[in-house]
Amino acid sequence: MKRFWKIFTTILVCLGLVFFSSAIFLVCTSETAHATSTNSMNSANGTTNERARADGRARVNDDYGGTNQSPNTTDESTSTGSGGFSLNFNGDSGSLSATVRILLVLTVLSLSPAILVMMTSFTRIIIVLHFIRLALGTQTSPPNQVLIGLSLFLTLFIMWPTFSSVYNNAIVPFDQGKITQEQAYNRGKEPVREFMYGQTQSKDLNLFCDIAGITYDDYDDVPMHVLIPSFILSELRTAFIMGFLIYIPFIVIDMVVASVLMSMGMMMLPPTTISLPFKILLFIMADGWNLVIGSLVKTFQ
């Protein structure tokens, strides 16, 4: 029943996000259409006013004998008002419109979970923390919200230099109009590629290169669609190795407790009930959180 409510809540949240994004996009589209119609009406009114002024000058010439060289019949406009509509283009370095910016932001927000999970240190951290909870035998302690929150902040701590490099080298110059969109993309992906290269094992990279039929002499020759799955596979392998090493001391405690209970003839008593306090005590005495988190963060340096 709890799983059903979790699935139902997840579906409602996803539908809410979809409806919210659609509403924002429709509002932006309607505002753009209204601005376009207003500009069209202003242009039509300007043409009508110009014709009216021409007709008025013709009547003045007929009635008062004016000529084309007279000051009152000139076609020049002496108005200095700021009305009207103007649209300027500045090549590829021009700023994006509000509608396009909102569309890009919504696209990035929709893809941000996949980017966060698959291209950062989040995968390794959350798997290792999950193995710790399984090894201790505590069913829901720490809860999932705590593990995910801790993983997010550790990911932010580890990825901060990469995120800062992307922001300073790609986002800020592009927002100021100093570089084009293609240049911003190339500058933004380089720090991320450098991070993934440092954590990707050669055999995983060679595996996907062989599948894709790609040969490379340098890491820069590997495309992103080959590097990302190679990085994910390496992260899974590293996380499971760390989880196995974390499991070993707790398995020893379980085996000792089970052997003692069997020798005492207490076969009906679950060994985990007796071993759980001893595993928690061992984890506390060894300062387990400090050791695990410190070792986990240092694996990315």
Side-chain angles (χ1 to χ4, degrees), residues 17 26 31-32 34 45 47 54 71 75-77 119 122 140 150 153-154 180-181 210-211 224 244 246 252 264 267:
L17 291 175
L26 290 176
E31 290 179 356
T32 304
H34 177 69
N45 292 332
T47 304
D75 291 333
E76 296 179 357
S77 176
M119 299 176 63
F122 182 84
T140 58
L150 179 59
F153 280 102
L154 288 177
T180 62
Q181 299 179 20
D210 293 338
I211 295 174
M224 289 292 289
F244 170 75
I246 292 173
V252 173
M264 295 176 62
M267 294 179 294

Side-chain angles (χ1 to χ4, degrees), residues 4 7 142 160 172 185 195-196 202 222 240 249 251 267 278:
F4 171 77
I7 297 174
W160 185 258
V172 173
Y185 171 74
F195 170 79
M196 290 192 293
S202 299
V222 180
F240 272 76
I251 289 179
M267 294 179 294
F278 292 99

